[in-house]
Amino acid sequence: MNDDDLRLAPRTRTAELTAWARAQEREPVAEEPLRAVLTLLELGGARMHDGWPELTSAAVEHLLYERLYLYAQPAPGADPLAYGAAVRLLTDHQRAAKRLNAKRQERLLAEAEWQGEVAAGLLRRADLVTWPRLYALLLRADGVAVSDPAAVRAWLDAFRELAPQERLAAYEALEASGGLDRVDGDGGWGPTRLMSVGMATDGARMLLENGLMERSYRNLAELNARGLPMPPELSGDFESFEAAAAAEALRLYGEWTVPGLPELLVEEYPDLAPEPGQEEIDAYLAQLPQEAAEAGYAGYAGDAAGPDEDSAEEWEESRS
């Protein structure tokens, strides 16, 4: 354990994996999707070995099919298939490090390829965006310099002045321009979709916060087992710890969309990115058929424990 282990967010071994790929003369994977994959695997509950997430079929599916579309918004021109490519690169690296046998490597490579294609499709669906992803698309569509905080804030101020129907028209324009794929059957950009976007955003942020806190708990448990004292960074009261996790979750969300944007939407522009309270959620679910309501609430609450583990047989096979 070192100082990096005691920080909330993982310090991924992205640079090392990139260097390994270069030494193997492999086609490179962009740094941003590579770091996102490594971070989300660890915060999603993947077992860690010497700083590397250990891959299983469940972990790959959880990442590419259930989590990625909550957080990542590729920049214009970026390849959405890069996330699947990042998993394949990690798979080959783990095989080279003798942490996977050939059979498991082959299976994971195939799963990462087709799940990566599925993930690329999910990233384009208009009904699966979150507020940070949606506003990242809008900012870039309007040519805003997203690396300039003042420019981002000025655009948000101007967008706030629009009438509600004008904002809805801007969302719809993303589909007309090809930024998002139109999805039929949910009423488009009406109250139902706006409610689901807010619920998904709140749930996604909660999952990140829980993952960050669980990572710290695991590290603290190791410290206690070794008889070492609590580090000063993590020895404050629980409310301070929760606040630090919430702030770090927003920072990470910005890393995968537009830096600083998620924090602005929560703290200064909540009217542009409304997240429903419990009463609104209950009223919304009451309008749905029972099965759909139960599924919707489960999706909102999320699975903070992360992916199910593979069977013992599969796990032992991966280590042999």
Side-chain angles (χ1 to χ4, degrees):
M1 179 175 290
N2 55 43
D3 288 344
D4 281 348
D5 294 321
L6 300 178
R7 297 172 182 165
L8 274 169
R11 269 29 175 201
T12 66
R13 302 180 72 169
T14 303
E16 187 174 335
L17 188 53
T18 300
W20 180 82
R22 190 181 304 114
Q24 300 296 312
E25 298 184 345
R26 294 178 54 110
E27 185 174 344
V29 177
E31 181 178 323
E32 289 185 5
L34 194 56
R35 183 182 295 111
V37 161
L38 292 172
T39 302
L40 285 170
L41 280 169
E42 182 170 350
L43 295 183
R47 303 187 192 192
M48 302 298 294
H49 179 81
D50 192 27
W52 299 100
E54 296 183 347
L55 290 172
T56 66
S57 297
V60 171
E61 180 178 7
H62 188 68
L63 167 71
L64 295 176
Y65 184 67
E66 299 178 27
R67 284 229 172 168
L68 186 65
Y69 70 83
L70 293 172
Y71 301 109
Q73 184 53 56
D79 184 4
L81 294 174
Y83 301 97
V87 176
R88 296 198 299 276
L89 177 61
L90 178 60
T91 299
D92 287 342
H93 177 272
Q94 294 299 280
R95 169 61 178 162
K98 304 186 185 304
R99 295 184 185 127
L100 294 172
N101 63 23
K103 182 178 179 181
R104 284 287 292 146
Q105 178 194 24
E106 182 179 359
R107 182 194 301 178
L108 287 169
L109 287 173
E111 290 172 349
E113 183 170 5
W114 74 264
Q115 290 278 9
E117 292 174 356
V118 171
L122 296 178
L123 287 171
R124 291 191 52 81
R125 283 183 49 164
D127 61 336
L128 294 180
V129 294
T130 53
W131 288 123
R133 288 190 56 219
L134 182 61
Y135 278 100
L137 282 165
L138 290 168
L139 284 159
R140 287 166 173 151
D142 280 355
V144 177
V146 295
S147 60
D148 182 354
V152 171
R153 188 185 296 274
W155 185 92
L156 289 171
D157 286 336
F159 198 75
R160 175 181 263 167
E161 296 301 315
L162 298 179
Q165 289 304 315
E166 292 177 300
R167 296 179 199 168
L168 292 179
Y171 305 153
E172 292 169 352
L174 290 172
E175 299 174 12
S177 66
L180 289 173
D181 290 339
R182 190 182 307 277
V183 177
D184 298 323
D186 71 342
W189 289 101
T192 298
R193 181 176 291 178
L194 295 177
M195 173 74 74
S196 69
V197 171
M199 291 171 64
T201 302
D202 187 22
R205 194 172 61 250
M206 180 176 65
L207 285 172
L208 269 186
E209 293 173 14
N210 288 344
L212 290 164
M213 289 191 286
E214 287 168 8
R215 177 178 184 271
S216 294
Y217 291 149
R218 288 193 298 270
N219 291 336
L220 291 174
E222 182 179 336
L223 279 180
N224 292 336
R226 294 165 57 189
L228 298 175
M230 177 84 74
E233 309 95 296
L234 300 177
S235 60
D237 59 78
F238 184 71
E239 289 186 359
S240 297
F241 181 43
E242 280 189 314
E248 185 60 25
L250 289 172
R251 189 197 68 79
L252 281 172
Y253 220 150
E255 186 176 302
W256 303 323
T257 53
V258 169
L261 174 63
E263 182 179 3
L264 284 172
L265 293 176
V266 168
E267 297 182 359
E268 298 186 39
Y269 299 88
D271 52 312
L272 297 185
E275 296 179 12
Q278 192 58 52
E279 290 185 7
E280 294 172 285
I281 293 170
D282 291 342
Y284 166 72
L285 296 177
Q287 301 174 29
L288 302 179
Q290 185 63 28
E291 291 183 3
E294 291 174 356
Y297 188 79
Y300 166 71
D303 177 10
D308 294 333
E309 296 179 1
D310 286 359
S311 65
E313 180 180 354
E314 183 183 32
W315 181 253
E316 288 303 322
E317 176 188 305
S318 72
R319 300 295 295 270
S320 61

